[in-house]
């Protein structure tokens, strides 16, 4: 009788900065799901995860939309849209349009201040491109869509790239440490665009006995007064204005690679004023970029007070599908 030696596990030290996707699970409706994929790791932090859903009966690589959740950069979860937008509506509309949906987590601001959140978004985009073949995604047709804090990050992802001043600090090296992070289109639902201008905007009052961190101070790692450069660096309007002012590579058609934007914002938003999207719209237009600003009359933050959000979702997906050639 012979005895084989036990197989040693394949250990890697230090742990790898990302993990390859595992084979998908095919749902009853034919949608291929890759759940809980580790797109970036760093010692001392939770693994950053993403989910991928690929539409049923997809013939060849499909375009993809990266969904970025909100939550004031302090909370939130890739699996759950805001309570006013049912996940079945959001996910189903994207998939029905022939688009893959990539839902990502990112580090919250009390885990790591800005630009960690943008680094994670860019790491997720690099990861999807690297493993596009495994997912069945077209690496040349990727868009971003976010709400609230996620809308802010989507706008930053669309406006920053290798030609941006200070690009190295904005791109980061998380996960797949280098590669293309450009996107073909951006949908920004009621995201912040100018943190400096929000300095004096009051936060909603908290119930008695409830303490909640100031989201802007937490994002910047201190007050705006103490970190003015961080506030400007974290503001999408900064990069739109750079393009309008003739930043390197900009021309009469706007900054190279600046994707088309759809901004959707409630006119009675008490948390992020509607004027924030107006400012970004104006800056993008001045830079020669394509931008559609869609006011939601009477809508508050997360579209509270809107009786039917389905048309908003439908128009947002149609904008993405059009610019992704879906």
């Amino acid at each position: 009788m012979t005895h084989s030696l036990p197989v040693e596990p394949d250990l890697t030290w230090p742990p790898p900065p990302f993990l390859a996707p595992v084979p998908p699970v095919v749902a009853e409706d034919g949608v291929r799901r890759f759940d809980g994929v580790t797109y970036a790791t760093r010692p001392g932090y939770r693994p950053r995860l993403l989910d991928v859903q690929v539409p049923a009966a997809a013939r060849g690589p499909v375009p993809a939309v990266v969904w970025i959740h909100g939550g004031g950069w302090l909370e939130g979860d890739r699996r759950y849209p805001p309570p006013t937008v049912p996940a079945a509506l959001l996910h189903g509309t994207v998939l029905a349009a022939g688009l893959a949906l990539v839902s990502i987590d990112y580090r919250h601001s009390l885990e790591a201040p800005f630009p960690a959140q943008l680094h994670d978004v860019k790491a997720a985009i690099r990861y999807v491109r690297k493993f596009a073949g495994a997912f069945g995604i077209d690496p040349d047709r990727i868009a971003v869509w976010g709400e609230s804090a996620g809308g802010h990050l989507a706008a930053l992802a669309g406006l920053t790239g290798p030609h941006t001043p200070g690009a190295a600090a904005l791109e980061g090296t998380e996960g797949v440490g280098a590669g293309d992070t450009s996107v073909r289109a951006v949908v920004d639902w009621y995201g912040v665009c100018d943190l400096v201008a929000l300095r004096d905007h009051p936060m909603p009052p908290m119930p008695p006995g409830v303490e909640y961190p100031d989201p802007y101070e937490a994002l910047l790692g201190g007050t705006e007064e103490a970190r003015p450069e961080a506030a400007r660096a974290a503001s999408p309007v900064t990069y739109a204005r750079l393009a309008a002012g003739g930043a390197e590579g900009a021309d009469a058609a706007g900054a190279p690679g600046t994707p088309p934007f759809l901004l959707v914002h409630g006119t009675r938003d008490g948390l992020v004023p509607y004027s924030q999207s107006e400012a970004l719209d104006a800056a993008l237009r001045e830079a020669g970029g394509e931008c559609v600003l869609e006011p939601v009359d009477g809508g508050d933050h997360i579209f509270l007070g809107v009786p039917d959000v389905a048309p908003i979702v439908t128009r947002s997906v149609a904008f993405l599908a059009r610019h992704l050639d879906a």
Side-chain angles (χ1 to χ4, degrees):
M1 178 181 294
T2 60
H3 297 276
S4 60
L5 296 175
V7 177
E8 292 292 334
D10 183 15
L11 296 178
T12 301
W13 193 259
F18 58 87
L19 300 178
V22 297
V25 172
V26 181
E28 291 183 2
D29 58 5
V31 172
R32 290 186 292 123
R33 301 182 59 102
F34 302 79
D35 292 328
V37 178
T38 300
Y39 75 85
T41 65
R42 179 173 287 273
Y45 295 96
R46 60 192 168 102
R48 274 139 288 161
L49 307 179
L50 59 78
D51 300 335
V52 178
Q53 299 180 62
V54 181
R59 295 182 179 180
V62 298
V65 177
V66 176
W67 167 260
I68 312 171
H69 70 77
W73 311 282
L74 286 161
E75 55 186 334
D77 187 308
R78 70 187 186 280
R79 298 168 295 179
Y80 308 119
T84 49
V85 183
L89 170 66
L90 182 75
H91 297 182
T93 307
V94 171
L95 294 168
L99 307 174
L101 180 65
V102 181
S103 306
I104 71 169
D105 282 333
Y106 53 88
R107 283 170 290 177
H108 295 154
S109 55
L110 293 183
E111 294 178 273
F114 184 84
Q117 297 71 33
L118 180 58
H119 289 173
D120 290 350
V121 171
K122 288 179 175 287
I125 295 168
R126 289 192 295 262
Y127 184 92
V128 171
R129 281 207 163 95
K130 179 177 178 64
F131 292 105
F135 292 132
I137 286 173
D138 184 342
D140 295 323
R141 292 190 290 166
I142 297 175
V144 286
W145 179 7
E147 61 95 17
S148 195
H152 160 262
L153 294 173
L156 282 174
L159 286 166
T160 60
H163 297 290
T164 305
L170 297 169
E171 293 288 307
T173 58
E174 296 295 310
V176 178
D180 182 12
T181 61
S182 65
V183 296
R184 289 271 294 267
V186 176
V187 173
D188 171 0
W189 280 1
Y190 47 83
V192 169
C193 87
D194 188 346
L195 276 77
V196 178
L198 278 178
R199 176 176 57 188
D200 298 322
H201 182 71
M203 295 295 298
M206 290 291 108
V210 175
E211 294 185 3
Y212 196 83
D214 182 289
Y216 304 112
E217 291 185 12
L219 179 69
L220 302 177
T223 63
E224 189 277 326
E225 293 87 345
R227 302 195 65 182
E229 290 301 320
R232 282 190 285 272
S235 296
V237 74
T238 297
Y239 307 102
R241 288 171 178 164
L242 281 173
E248 179 184 358
D251 56 25
T258 299
F261 271 68
L262 172 63
L263 309 176
V264 187
H265 207 135
T267 58
R268 300 189 66 181
D269 193 323
L271 188 61
V272 178
Y274 178 71
S275 59
Q276 286 278 301
S277 286
E278 288 182 308
L280 183 55
D281 175 58
L284 287 166
R285 290 176 179 275
E286 187 177 353
E290 177 185 343
C291 185
V292 177
L293 173 58
E294 182 177 307
V296 180
D297 189 42
D300 201 342
H301 204 63
I302 68 170
F303 302 136
L304 286 168
V306 178
D308 185 8
V309 300
I312 300 173
V313 174
T314 299
R315 289 193 296 271
S316 298
V317 172
F319 176 89
L320 292 165
R322 183 168 68 254
H323 289 289
L324 291 171
D325 301 323

